[in-house]
Amino acid sequence: MSEDPPSAGPEPPAASQPELSPSVRAQLLATEHWSLLASRSTTQGEVLTRISMFLTFTSASLLSVALVGNATQFSDAFRAFALTILSIDVVVGLLTHIRVMSVGMEDLMYVIAMNRLRAAYVDLDPGVAPYLMAGYSDDEEGAKKTYYFLGGRTNFSQVAGSSMVFMGTVNAALIALLVGSALLTFAVPVPAAVSVAVVAALAFFTTSLARGRRRYLDVWKNNQPIFPGRGLY
């Protein structure tokens, strides 16, 4: 009888993956950093173009309403035309507003990601930290430092100057025009129509701010920092 071949014995352990050198790690991190910068720039350019298109469309449509009003002597046909144009403006404005809010959250996402990469740079070379003006912690304080290096800017000024508040203000004005015009068409007294229009505008603006604040807080609730402040701020 032929003997069974000898057992080959246990498989040797797989060779551990070689450790990357700090220079290779820095190159990989820098590549990812440039990718995030390019994505952030593209997103910002897209939303600014969207806002510009919306404002151009709105100004042109309101001008057309004025011209048609003069041509028709503000007849019933003009009222129907004006309500239609204002309704379209409001719809386009709301769609633009939704995109602006989404881009605001996306921009915060890119800032957090780049702060995390800067934290990796500091881990590779702690001596580089004093040269970084942008934040290098992926928490809320680090994001605020990246948005404004010099400090001292209040949360109110940051929010008040944002594209979200700008779009909220424009859309609130359009909603007031639409509601007031619709009520006047149905022979509602002017004081009552103006009051309801103002309330509708304020309700929309307040709701918009509350929604934006909730989305901002959800970001920090769902994002667990890997490199929190570390006593840097």
Side-chain angles (χ1 to χ4, degrees):
M1 296 178 60
S2 60
E3 296 182 358
D4 295 333
S7 174
E11 292 289 334
S16 60
Q17 189 173 2
E19 188 78 11
L20 294 177
S21 65
S23 61
V24 174
R25 287 189 176 187
Q27 291 176 12
L28 294 174
L29 293 171
T31 301
E32 176 64 10
H33 202 149
W34 280 108
S35 175
L36 291 171
L37 281 172
S39 299
R40 186 185 184 193
S41 177
T42 301
T43 303
Q44 288 291 338
E46 182 266 334
V47 76
L48 291 176
T49 301
R50 179 81 71 90
I51 293 174
S52 178
M53 291 172 59
F54 163 68
L55 294 177
T56 301
F57 175 80
T58 301
S59 60
S61 61
L62 293 179
L63 178 60
S64 68
V65 168
L67 294 175
V68 171
N70 287 329
T72 60
Q73 300 300 314
F74 302 98
S75 63
D76 292 339
F78 162 76
R79 294 189 181 94
F81 174 78
L83 290 177
T84 301
I85 294 298
L86 286 174
S87 298
I88 295 173
D89 286 343
V90 168
V91 171
V92 175
L94 291 177
L95 293 176
T96 306
H97 193 191
I98 291 172
R99 182 55 184 155
V100 167
M101 293 184 68
S102 296
V103 167
M105 295 301 102
E106 291 173 18
D107 189 70
L108 179 59
M109 171 186 70
Y110 291 130
V111 167
I112 295 172
M114 287 188 283
N115 278 15
R116 187 169 292 179
L117 291 177
R118 292 190 194 95
Y121 297 150
V122 173
D123 284 346
L124 288 174
D125 182 9
V128 79
Y131 301 98
L132 297 177
M133 293 190 69
Y136 51 95
S137 63
D138 55 352
D139 55 4
E140 186 174 7
E141 292 303 315
K144 289 180 180 179
K145 184 173 178 61
T146 297
Y147 276 118
Y148 189 64
F149 301 159
L150 303 180
R153 177 181 289 177
T154 63
N155 292 337
F156 174 79
S157 62
Q158 182 74 20
V159 173
S162 66
S163 298
M164 181 194 71
V165 171
F166 172 77
M167 282 301 306
T169 303
V170 175
N171 282 326
L174 287 175
I175 289 173
L177 284 174
L178 177 60
V179 172
S181 299
L183 292 176
L184 291 175
T185 301
F186 291 100
V188 175
V190 173
V194 171
S195 300
V196 173
V198 170
V199 169
L202 292 177
F204 170 80
F205 188 76
T206 303
T207 303
S208 171
L209 289 180
R211 186 166 177 264
R213 181 175 184 274
R214 184 173 66 250
R215 292 185 65 178
Y216 178 79
L217 295 177
D218 286 342
V219 168
W220 300 113
K221 183 190 301 182
N222 300 326
N223 174 66
Q224 297 299 323
I226 299 177
F227 303 99
R230 301 150 80 178
L232 299 175
Y233 308 107

